[in-house]
Amino acid sequence: MAGSVNKVILVGNLGADPEIRNLPSGGKVVNLSVATSENWKDKNTGERREKTEWHRVVIFSEGLARVAESYLKKGSKVYLEGQLQTRKWQDQSGADKYSTEIVLQGFNSNLTLLDGRGDGEGAGAGDSGGFRGARDNGGNSGGGNNNSGGGQRPRPSAPAFEPGGMDDDIPF
Amino acid sequence: MAGSVNKVILVGNLGADPEIRNLPSGGKVVNLSVATSENWKDKNTGERREKTEWHRVVIFSEGLARVAESYLKKGSKVYLEGQLQTRKWQDQSGADKYSTEIVLQGFNSNLTLLDGRGDGEGAGAGDSGGFRGARDNGGNSGGGNNNSGGGQRPRPSAPAFEPGGMDDDIPF
Amino acid sequence: MAGSVNKVILVGNLGADPEIRNLPSGGKVVNLSVATSENWKDKNTGERREKTEWHRVVIFSEGLARVAESYLKKGSKVYLEGQLQTRKWQDQSGADKYSTEIVLQGFNSNLTLLDGRGDGEGAGAGDSGGFRGARDNGGNSGGGNNNSGGGQRPRPSAPAFEPGGMDDDIPF
Amino acid sequence: MAGSVNKVILVGNLGADPEIRNLPSGGKVVNLSVATSENWKDKNTGERREKTEWHRVVIFSEGLARVAESYLKKGSKVYLEGQLQTRKWQDQSGADKYSTEIVLQGFNSNLTLLDGRGDGEGAGAGDSGGFRGARDNGGNSGGGNNNSGGGQRPRPSAPAFEPGGMDDDIPF
DNA sequence: TTTT
DNA sequence: TTTT
């Protein structure tokens, strides 16, 4: 289709440490559970209410995955940009399940830590020392080995994301 | 939580006419099915590939619901802003299901037709005459009486900025 | 024009305390100076470089102006959404000048404090107690009486979605 | 600074054909003039009003520049994402001038044509045949020759953008 | 002028 | 199910 846009922007906090999975291919996928909440005062009762929304975030971008692994932890506040993607899978009983995730992959993905500093002064020895935001440069940032020639934008063969890392018949 | 943001921005096409549901309360809820797609050339095979993502959009805002009902139809291209929300429900067998939707409701929601012209075909005569984008004003658009003086949007003295370089038959 | 969008999203720090101007009309306008910066390593020299961009933000929305006045100060980190606007003015010599600003006014504006907590230090006693983000409701937030029934934001039956995986002492 | 975001999202129409400038370095820079407009009904007078805002867009990204050159023309409707940047320059009299532009360069830039089709059925013979959106992959998309080793993110030495292409003491 |  |  000529001209479509699929963009999610979140500012929220991690509900847990990042989950890192190493792929057979050598790659790395990071899952985040991010909470956003809203506060409002009920117009009728006058009481203050809060509603929290949990978002499952999947980082395929190597560069951003490394950043997440190195600098994010439970409670971290992040700004992120990704795309909505709904994935179909089967639970143990073979029933179809759908899970909607925010995918950080390729262009127009972004992940920025909004907390203090990465993980403190001495963190991140070496060159990339100190996290100060990161952007994907096409799935291959960082000198990583993407093997097999690329497939720069969408992932070549939609690597399966096996649910089960959290309760297994909850969408994430 | 102090400071969170939950925003989705889509530009896509409706896969079907809007579904309108009238609530017992007299309100109205509109559901849209919006497609976004990506095209890329496989780096390995060189073949062109396309992937379409379908998004379920739910409009609670009265003003935007009316706009959707009046101006959108199967095939329409729209720009929209809303929030991600995952809803839990039970299927006939009582099994828990989760559904993630893009909710247009209250502040920071937006719905803009990108197709031809909204005011075409005689629609929307009179006051709201001609759809040219719509924004929610807090769940109260439509019947609400906000009448309290003051041009609402642009600031009173909003100085025109006219570079003058533009020919006058530009279609906007 | 049918269908246009003009949106700026910034996450940055205030370079100075907010400047408040009281209008003859009784209204209030707040100006912010917001810095965003980028860091990168020069590919040629290998040295680390930084570039800071300063943004002039003008808040016409009453509700957001009050928030800015109450909770923001030099150094505060904010998330904000507004619109680009270029204003023409004359300097003392009568020469034309143009100034581009990010205007927070009316719909689709947002201002959220990303620092510590808004409600700290005793600020914001009473009803609006505790800043936890704010959105414009159409130029009428604050003094307006919108009282017409209905919890405004989340839909009535907004089902809680609690994956349960989260420890309960998470700071959000 | 840890964690800042500088993002502009526009949907608007080109007021003129793209201006292409070839740089001594062999690169290419494209300038767009994009109009966004708002319509509203004055709360006091009841009359319908419209305000158009003109945006100067500068495309440094090679890939997006090529796209703009090939598919955009006066009247085209586009979706674009870029960054705000204010540039200082001197007019003929040596007076300081400032110009704020939306820069498409490097990561997190996007340019998507929302009009019908690229430039018609048979356009764009060969591989990239038919414009269907484009994203920057870091300043070097397209196999272009960026010479001199790169400088991937911000431009190494802020290539001067000589005003004058339009009236010369208007900021764009 | 901020922030790291 | 859209669109190109």
Side-chain angles (χ1 to χ4, degrees):
Chain A
M1 175 200 307
S4 66
V5 173
N6 173 357
K7 175 172 288 287
V8 179
I9 293 176
L10 299 181
V11 173
N13 295 272
L14 299 213
D17 287 339
E19 299 168 36
I20 293 100
R21 288 181 303 123
N22 292 294
L23 301 176
S25 63
K28 185 175 290 189
V29 176
V30 176
N31 288 274
L32 305 178
S33 183
V34 175
T36 57
S37 21
E38 296 185 89
N39 293 271
W40 73 99
K41 200 170 64 163
D42 190 289
K43 275 285 169 45
N44 295 118
T45 67
E47 47 180 349
R48 192 144 268 293
R49 303 190 49 184
E50 172 158 0
K51 179 166 178 294
T52 295
E53 192 70 34
W54 287 96
H55 308 271
R56 179 153 191 84
V57 175
V58 187
I59 307 175
F60 286 101
S61 153
E62 259 193 69
L64 300 184
R66 201 167 28 232
V67 160
E69 186 178 12
S70 306
Y71 299 107
L72 303 185
K73 58 178 191 296
K74 179 173 164 177
S76 296
K77 185 185 283 283
V78 293
Y79 170 97
L80 62 87
E81 282 180 58
Q83 286 186 101
L84 271 180
Q85 206 159 98
T86 296
R87 204 167 33 83
K88 185 183 185 178
W89 52 284
Q90 279 79 30
D91 67 7
Q92 322 88 306
S93 75
D96 285 347
K97 299 280 187 175
Y98 294 85
S99 178
T100 298
E101 297 157 343
I102 295 145
V103 174
L104 275 62
Q105 176 188 214
F107 309 96
N108 285 102
S109 293
N110 195 347
L111 176 62
T112 300
L113 178 60
L114 296 176
D115 275 329
R117 61 227 1 284
D119 60 39
E121 299 280 336
D127 198 308
S128 77
F131 173 46
R132 354 185 87 206
R135 291 167 186 86
D136 193 359
N137 73 357
N140 190 25
S141 52
N145 172 15
N146 234 358
N147 205 6
S148 79
Q152 201 162 14
R153 205 83 66 62
R155 39 181 156 141
S157 55
F161 168 68
E162 289 79 25
M166 301 178 95
D167 297 17
D168 47 8
D169 56 0
I170 284 179
F172 63 83
Chain B
M1 173 204 307
S4 67
V5 173
N6 173 357
K7 176 174 286 291
V8 178
I9 293 175
L10 300 182
V11 173
N13 296 274
L14 300 215
D17 287 338
E19 300 167 35
I20 293 100
R21 287 180 300 127
N22 292 295
L23 301 177
S25 65
K28 187 174 287 189
V29 175
V30 177
N31 287 275
L32 306 177
S33 183
V34 176
T36 57
S37 19
E38 297 185 90
N39 292 273
W40 73 98
K41 201 171 65 164
D42 191 289
K43 277 285 171 44
N44 295 118
T45 69
E47 46 181 349
R48 192 144 270 292
R49 304 193 48 183
E50 171 158 0
K51 180 167 179 294
T52 295
E53 193 70 34
W54 287 96
H55 307 271
R56 179 162 188 78
V57 175
V58 187
I59 307 176
F60 286 100
S61 153
E62 259 191 69
L64 300 184
R66 201 167 29 233
V67 160
E69 187 178 11
S70 305
Y71 299 106
L72 303 186
K73 59 177 192 296
K74 180 172 165 177
S76 296
K77 185 184 283 280
V78 294
Y79 170 96
L80 63 86
E81 284 180 57
Q83 286 185 102
L84 271 181
Q85 206 160 98
T86 295
R87 202 167 36 82
K88 185 185 186 177
W89 52 284
Q90 277 79 31
D91 68 8
Q92 323 87 304
S93 75
D96 286 345
K97 298 280 188 176
Y98 296 86
S99 179
T100 298
E101 296 157 341
I102 294 145
V103 176
L104 274 61
Q105 175 188 216
F107 309 96
N108 285 103
S109 291
N110 195 348
L111 177 63
T112 300
L113 178 61
L114 297 177
D115 274 330
R117 47 195 49 261
D119 54 18
E121 312 195 351
D127 197 309
S128 77
F131 173 46
R132 350 186 89 209
R135 290 167 187 87
D136 193 358
N137 73 358
N140 189 28
S141 51
N145 173 14
N146 244 353
N147 181 23
S148 56
Q152 204 162 11
R153 208 79 69 61
R155 39 177 153 151
S157 57
F161 174 66
E162 295 282 359
M166 304 310 147
D167 296 2
D168 47 10
D169 57 351
I170 298 171
F172 57 76
Chain C
M1 172 204 309
S4 68
V5 173
N6 173 357
K7 177 175 285 289
V8 180
I9 293 175
L10 299 182
V11 173
N13 295 274
L14 300 215
D17 287 338
E19 297 168 36
I20 292 100
R21 286 180 301 126
N22 292 295
L23 301 177
S25 64
K28 187 174 286 190
V29 175
V30 175
N31 287 277
L32 306 178
S33 184
V34 175
T36 56
S37 18
E38 297 185 89
N39 291 273
W40 72 98
K41 201 171 66 163
D42 191 287
K43 276 285 169 46
N44 295 119
T45 69
E47 46 182 347
R48 192 144 269 292
R49 302 194 49 183
E50 171 158 0
K51 179 164 178 298
T52 295
E53 193 69 34
W54 288 97
H55 309 271
R56 179 159 187 82
V57 175
V58 188
I59 306 175
F60 285 99
S61 152
E62 259 192 69
L64 300 185
R66 202 167 28 233
V67 159
E69 188 178 8
S70 306
Y71 299 107
L72 303 186
K73 58 177 192 297
K74 181 172 166 177
S76 296
K77 185 183 284 279
V78 292
Y79 170 96
L80 63 85
E81 282 180 59
Q83 284 186 104
L84 271 181
Q85 207 159 100
T86 296
R87 205 167 32 85
K88 186 184 185 177
W89 52 284
Q90 279 78 31
D91 68 6
Q92 322 87 304
S93 75
D96 286 346
K97 299 280 189 175
Y98 295 86
S99 178
T100 299
E101 296 157 342
I102 294 145
V103 176
L104 274 61
Q105 176 188 215
F107 309 96
N108 286 104
S109 292
N110 195 348
L111 178 61
T112 300
L113 179 60
L114 296 177
D115 273 331
R117 47 195 49 261
D119 52 20
E121 313 196 350
D127 197 309
S128 77
F131 173 47
R132 350 187 88 211
R135 291 168 186 86
D136 193 359
N137 73 359
N140 189 26
S141 51
N145 173 15
N146 243 352
N147 183 22
S148 57
Q152 204 163 12
R153 209 79 70 59
R155 41 178 154 152
S157 58
F161 175 67
E162 295 280 1
M166 304 311 145
D167 296 4
D168 45 12
D169 56 351
I170 298 172
F172 57 78
Chain D
M1 174 200 307
S4 67
V5 173
N6 173 357
K7 176 173 288 286
V8 179
I9 293 175
L10 299 181
V11 173
N13 294 273
L14 299 215
D17 287 339
E19 298 167 37
I20 293 99
R21 288 180 303 121
N22 293 293
L23 302 177
S25 63
K28 185 174 290 190
V29 175
V30 176
N31 287 275
L32 306 178
S33 185
V34 175
T36 57
S37 21
E38 297 185 89
N39 293 272
W40 73 100
K41 201 170 64 163
D42 191 289
K43 277 282 168 49
N44 295 119
T45 69
E47 47 181 347
R48 191 144 271 293
R49 304 191 47 183
E50 172 157 359
K51 179 166 179 293
T52 295
E53 192 69 35
W54 288 96
H55 308 271
R56 182 156 188 82
V57 175
V58 188
I59 307 176
F60 285 101
S61 153
E62 260 191 67
L64 300 184
R66 201 165 28 230
V67 161
E69 187 178 10
S70 307
Y71 299 106
L72 303 185
K73 59 177 190 298
K74 180 174 162 177
S76 296
K77 186 185 283 280
V78 293
Y79 169 96
L80 64 84
E81 283 178 59
Q83 285 187 104
L84 273 181
Q85 205 159 98
T86 297
R87 203 169 32 84
K88 186 184 185 177
W89 51 283
Q90 278 79 31
D91 68 7
Q92 321 87 308
S93 76
D96 286 347
K97 299 280 187 176
Y98 295 85
S99 178
T100 299
E101 297 156 343
I102 294 145
V103 175
L104 275 62
Q105 176 189 216
F107 308 97
N108 286 103
S109 293
N110 195 347
L111 177 62
T112 301
L113 179 60
L114 297 176
D115 275 329
R117 59 223 8 281
D119 61 35
E121 300 280 335
D127 198 310
S128 78
F131 173 47
R132 352 186 87 207
R135 292 168 186 86
D136 194 358
N137 73 358
N140 190 25
S141 52
N145 172 16
N146 233 357
N147 204 5
S148 79
Q152 203 163 12
R153 207 82 69 60
R155 38 181 156 141
S157 54
F161 169 69
E162 288 79 25
M166 300 176 98
D167 298 17
D168 47 10
D169 56 1
I170 284 179
F172 63 84

